[in-house]
Amino acid sequence: MASMSTHSRRRLTDAPFLAAATGATPSRRPVWFMRQAGRSLPEYRELRAGVGMLESCFDPDLLCEITMQPVRRHDVDAAILFSDIVVPLKAAGIDLDIVPGVGPVIAAPVRTVEDVRALPRLRDEEVGAVTDGVRLLLDALGQTPLIGFAGAPFTLASYLVEGGPSKNHERTKAMMYADPQTWHALLGTLTDITIGFLRAQLEAGVDAIQLFDSWAGALSLADYRAFVLPHSERVFAEVADAGVPRIHFGVGTGELLGAMGEAGADVVGVDWRVPLTDAVRRVGPGKALQGNLDPAVLFAGPDAVETHARRIIAEADEAVTLGATGHIFNLGHGVLPDTDPTTLTALVELIHEL
C-alpha cells in the first residue's frame, strides 16, 4: 500500500489540541465541542435557510464557512469538519437523504447477501467537494487544527440495515446473529468506504481524525469484540501512516471503553456517564482521553457549568496521574440544538483559565 502523501499537512507545533493528543504538554487545556458547528448558532441557521443538510455537506464554500463559525465565535482549540456520517455513503451512490427531524433515511435498506454485494465502492473523486472544503479550511484556520471525521462501520451498517435511525437495532442485530457471514461482508465493505473517506481527508491535509461509532453502545462487550472491533481496528490501522492523532468516540460505550481503546486510536472519547477516573482504568494507560461534560449541564446556569467543568478537570488531572497521556476537554456528546452559544463561549474561556 502506497503511504499517504502528507505534503500539504501544516506544521502546527504549538497547537494545544495536538499537544494533548500526542502526549506533549499543551500551553493551555484544549477544548472543542462535538457538533460545535450547527443548529445552536444563529449564523449557521441563517446560512442553512433553504439549503438541505446533504447539499451543504457537498458545497466546499458552505462547508468551510460552517466549520469556521464556532472557531471564530468560541475560540475553540480545534475545528471539526462540517459533514455527516452518511456523506461517504451518499457520495458512493447509495440512495439516501437526511430528513429534518428524523435523520438519515435509506431508500432501499440492505437486508440480504445480494444487497451487500450490490453496494458501491467509494472513489476519491466522489468526495472532491469535501476535500476542496478541507483545502479552503487549511487557509482559513491559521494555527487552529482541523479534525476530519467519519462514521464507524457498525454505525453506518445500522443505518443501512434499519433504513434509518433505530432505537433497538433489531434488524441489525438479527443479521449479525443469524448471518454472521453476510454481516462481516457488509462491515468489510463499509470499512473500505470509511477508510477511503478518511484517507481523502488526510491527503487534503486534516490534522487529526475522529471515528464516530454513535450506536456501538447498543452492543454487549462480547458482541462488540466479535462483530465490530476487527473492522474498526482495520480503519485505524489503514490511516496510521498519516501520522496524525486518531480519536475514537461512541455514546453509551462505558462498557466498551477498553475494547474501543484496543481498536487503535490515540485518544478515546468518553461520554458523560463514566467519570474520566474510571475511563482511564478501563482504557488503560498510554492514551489520551477526551470529554466529558454532560451537554445538558449547559442549560443549568453558569454556577452549575463551572462546578461541573471544574469536576471534570480534576478527574482528568487524576486520570493523567493514572496513566492517561493527556486530556482534551469536550462534551460527553454533541452540543444540543437549543444550547445558548454564549454559554459555550464562556465555558471555553473558563477552561482556558483553569
Side-chain angles (χ1 to χ4, degrees):
M1 185 180 71
S3 92
M4 223 169 298
S5 69
T6 53
H7 59 91
S8 58
R9 186 116 34 240
R10 301 173 297 159
R11 293 264 167 263
L12 303 177
T13 40
D14 298 329
F17 163 79
L18 293 174
T22 54
T25 305
S27 55
R28 64 185 190 185
R29 190 178 304 260
V31 52
W32 69 277
F33 305 114
M34 290 178 278
R35 286 210 291 262
Q36 62 189 12
R39 287 173 295 182
S40 63
L41 299 181
E43 57 267 42
Y44 168 82
R45 293 196 296 270
E46 198 178 315
L47 198 61
R48 274 280 320 277
V51 183
M53 175 66 184
L54 280 169
E55 196 186 325
S56 49
C57 292
F58 285 97
D59 180 323
D61 294 311
L62 260 183
L63 186 159
C64 176
E65 172 57 25
I66 293 169
T67 303
M68 288 300 299
Q69 286 176 344
V71 180
R72 288 191 207 110
R73 184 189 265 265
H74 302 312
D75 188 31
V76 282
D77 294 290
I80 183 158
L81 186 69
F82 178 74
S83 189
D84 188 275
I85 58 174
V86 297
V87 159
L89 302 182
K90 179 75 174 179
I94 293 167
D95 187 359
L96 61 88
D97 195 17
I98 296 175
V99 178
V102 180
V105 175
I106 313 293
V110 174
R111 303 275 165 81
T112 65
V113 69
E114 291 75 26
D115 295 340
V116 172
R117 286 194 192 119
L119 284 171
R121 297 295 189 265
L122 180 68
R123 301 192 307 274
D124 278 358
E125 60 270 23
E126 292 166 330
V127 289
V130 177
T131 53
D132 288 348
V134 169
R135 291 187 186 98
L136 291 174
L137 276 160
L138 298 185
D139 289 337
L141 278 165
Q143 292 299 298
T144 305
L146 175 61
I147 305 167
F149 90 87
F154 171 77
T155 290
L156 296 179
S158 175
Y159 280 119
L160 284 178
V161 176
E162 301 291 340
S166 169
K167 209 172 178 174
N168 300 308
H169 308 276
E170 56 267 44
R171 290 188 176 94
T172 308
K173 290 182 178 182
M175 182 193 283
M176 213 166 68
Y177 297 137
D179 191 353
Q181 204 172 344
T182 299
W183 172 260
H184 285 295
L186 171 60
L187 271 272
T189 298
L190 293 172
T191 299
D192 292 340
I193 289 175
T194 300
I195 290 165
F197 189 43
L198 288 172
R199 287 181 73 96
Q201 294 173 55
L202 286 161
E203 280 170 15
V206 299
D207 306 291
I209 57 117
Q210 177 156 311
L211 190 68
F212 283 85
D213 212 347
S214 314
W215 303 131
L219 299 172
S220 71
L221 179 58
D223 288 345
Y224 179 83
R225 285 193 178 283
F227 295 111
V228 177
L229 180 58
H231 304 283
S232 294
E233 259 177 338
R234 184 158 72 88
V235 174
F236 285 117
E238 295 259 350
V239 297
D241 60 340
V244 307
R246 297 159 297 167
I247 311 168
H248 201 9
F249 173 74
V251 193
T253 48
E255 297 302 321
L256 310 180
L257 283 172
M260 287 180 77
E262 284 168 37
D266 310 290
V267 183
V268 177
V270 184
D271 81 8
W272 69 91
R273 296 168 178 88
V274 178
L276 294 173
T277 42
D278 287 356
V280 67
R281 293 182 176 98
R282 296 177 192 189
V283 170
K287 293 181 188 292
L289 297 179
Q290 178 173 282
N292 67 343
L293 182 72
D294 186 338
V297 168
L298 298 172
F299 292 80
D303 293 351
V305 171
E306 177 164 352
T307 300
H308 285 273
R310 286 181 180 275
R311 171 181 59 79
I312 281 158
I313 282 172
E315 288 167 359
D317 290 346
E318 192 183 332
V320 168
T321 67
L322 293 169
T325 54
H327 176 240
I328 297 160
F329 194 100
N330 208 311
L331 302 180
H333 195 200
V335 174
L336 296 167
D338 296 327
T339 305
D340 180 348
T342 60
T343 306
L344 285 172
T345 307
L347 176 57
V348 173
E349 282 172 15
L350 174 69
I351 301 308
H352 287 159
E353 282 163 19
L354 291 178

